[in-house]
Amino acid sequence: MLRFHGDAEVAPGLVDLAVNVRQEAPPSWLTGPIAASLAHLGRYPDPAEATAAIARRHGRPPQEVLLTAGAAQAFTLLGPALRPRRAVVVHPQFTEPEAALLTAGHEVTRVVLRESDGFELAGAEIPETTDLVVIGNPTNPTSVLHPAAGIAAFAREGRVTVVDEAFADTVPGEPESLAGNRALPGLLVIRSLTKTWGLAGLRIGYVLGPAEVIDRLREHAPLWSVSTPALAAAIACASARAVDMERAIATRLAVDRAHLVAALEGAGVRVAGRPASSFVLIRVAGGERVRIALREHGFAVRRGETFPGLGPDWLRIAVRDTATSDAFVAVLSNVLGGSTC
Ligand SMILES: Cc1ncc(COP(=O)(O)O)c(C=O)c1O
């Protein structure tokens, strides 16, 4: 079930609370360049300009950037390029990194964070022999934002530390991001432009890290995998205007998330950890029955049991506008009929 994702929960006619992609249409300064790029589809894509733009945005040289067809493609490069002998994935988290490592023939050791610790890093032990560790920040599905220092402590010579920052831009000012950190040995940061900018269908993301590690990943990347429209999006999303708008979107999101959390807690629903991203994780008794009943009442939510460390009583809910959240919590309260845990 590692290859199950939120999009499989969605169906026509359902309110989508299962996929964490922002639903508002992308702004015209973004769709304009994407549309204009269609005039150049006869040429093979050249990533140089977009690579330089992303590098500038994170204060790094272009040699430290690899553009990918979404963050998801970056995970498929880790095994073939790095050939880890002992890979560790910190769960619960997005399952594609582990799935990709298994597909590439690597064994994966799981380090599972506990609910009793609020899914925080407290006490997480990474075996010393680990040469590849993967962690998400903020983490899908727990929405927990780990301190950058806690993740930085994983990094050492002889190990590649991969931080999946696909949702980093959902946190105002990105205080715990390591994207600009060039000092830590073997640090790779994977970013996505598909979430905040509503570009899941376009496929654009990137990896930041030491030039020699980026070179190894590049050798395994499929030729021309990032299309010309995706490159146009990367350039637009790297602009100062985009970074300002990201922050405004994240600030608004925090208000909407606080509203959702208050409504859930007001209905007696337990919310996991301290949510910091565009989704929250809840625990309800009879989770499978609740999820199916929610579907019957028009709401698709993301099941929890496909995430290592969680089970069917966990459900992940996307943060939407307050009216949608209120409608959802009203339905959830009815479905639960007092049976929260
Ligand atoms: C934590 C996390 N990382 C990466 C991805 C993949 O993102 P992209 O659309 O850029 O491939 C997802 C998609 O759901 C995700 O949840």
Side-chain angles (χ1 to χ4, degrees):
M1 289 298 271
L2 289 178
R3 287 241 142 98
F4 184 93
H5 299 299
D7 53 344
E9 307 277 16
V10 181
L14 295 180
V15 177
D16 174 7
L17 303 183
V19 176
N20 303 315
V21 170
R22 205 167 67 92
Q23 293 190 320
E24 286 75 2
S28 58
W29 55 256
L30 175 51
T31 52
I34 294 172
S37 77
L38 299 182
H40 308 295
L41 292 185
R43 283 186 229 141
Y44 285 101
D46 176 356
E49 189 185 344
T51 302
I54 295 290
R56 269 195 307 278
R57 185 242 190 271
H58 292 290
R60 311 182 71 126
Q63 296 83 346
E64 295 182 1
V65 178
L66 176 65
L67 300 173
T68 54
Q73 186 179 60
F75 302 128
T76 69
L77 308 178
L78 298 175
L82 305 176
R83 298 259 137 240
R85 285 184 312 280
R86 181 149 198 199
V88 165
V89 175
V90 181
H91 284 291
Q93 75 147 299
F94 186 54
T95 47
E96 268 312 301
E98 177 166 325
L101 285 165
L102 294 175
T103 300
H106 298 281
E107 281 181 27
V108 173
T109 301
R110 293 177 176 174
V111 168
V112 181
L113 304 183
R114 288 185 295 260
E115 179 190 5
S116 55
D117 294 328
F119 297 109
E120 293 180 7
L121 282 181
E125 295 270 333
I126 306 298
E128 204 44 52
T129 52
T130 303
D131 55 358
L132 175 69
V133 58
V134 187
I135 185 166
N137 205 35
T139 309
N140 171 15
T142 60
S143 200
V144 168
L145 180 66
H146 301 297
I151 296 178
F154 294 165
R156 58 205 62 199
E157 293 298 339
R159 173 185 293 173
V160 174
T161 299
V162 178
V163 192
D164 175 2
E165 290 195 359
F167 289 99
D169 62 1
T170 63
V171 184
E174 305 191 5
E176 308 303 339
S177 172
L178 289 168
N181 189 312
R182 305 182 59 213
L184 288 171
L187 175 73
L188 287 183
V189 174
I190 297 181
R191 304 272 300 210
S192 171
L193 295 173
T194 72
K195 317 288 185 192
T196 292
W197 299 116
L199 299 177
L202 191 65
R203 316 304 307 128
I204 179 69
Y206 52 93
V207 191
L208 307 167
E212 65 277 10
V213 186
I214 291 291
D215 279 348
R216 279 154 73 191
L217 296 178
R218 186 178 291 113
E219 277 170 25
H220 290 270
L223 189 60
W224 301 309
S225 65
V226 182
S227 69
T228 301
L231 295 172
I235 294 168
C237 292
S239 65
R241 174 190 216 168
V243 175
D244 284 350
M245 190 167 165
E246 251 169 24
R247 186 186 279 255
I249 291 170
T251 303
R252 176 72 234 172
L253 173 73
V255 175
D256 289 345
R257 184 180 58 243
H259 183 93
L260 172 62
V261 169
L264 287 165
E265 290 179 344
V269 176
R270 195 197 302 177
V271 177
R274 280 183 294 165
S277 190
S278 53
F279 44 89
V280 302
L281 183 67
I282 63 170
R283 185 167 193 175
V284 292
E288 187 178 3
R289 179 193 67 79
V290 171
R291 180 174 55 75
I292 292 167
L294 287 168
R295 283 184 82 80
E296 284 160 4
H297 289 85
F299 288 93
V301 300
R302 168 64 158 99
R303 70 194 67 189
E305 65 263 35
T306 65
F307 290 104
L310 302 183
D313 286 352
W314 294 98
L315 301 173
R316 193 192 67 201
I317 317 292
V319 178
R320 304 289 189 219
D321 60 274
T322 54
T324 303
S325 292
D326 287 344
F328 168 70
V329 175
V331 167
L332 176 64
S333 296
N334 279 340
V335 165
L336 290 173
S339 68
T340 52
C341 71

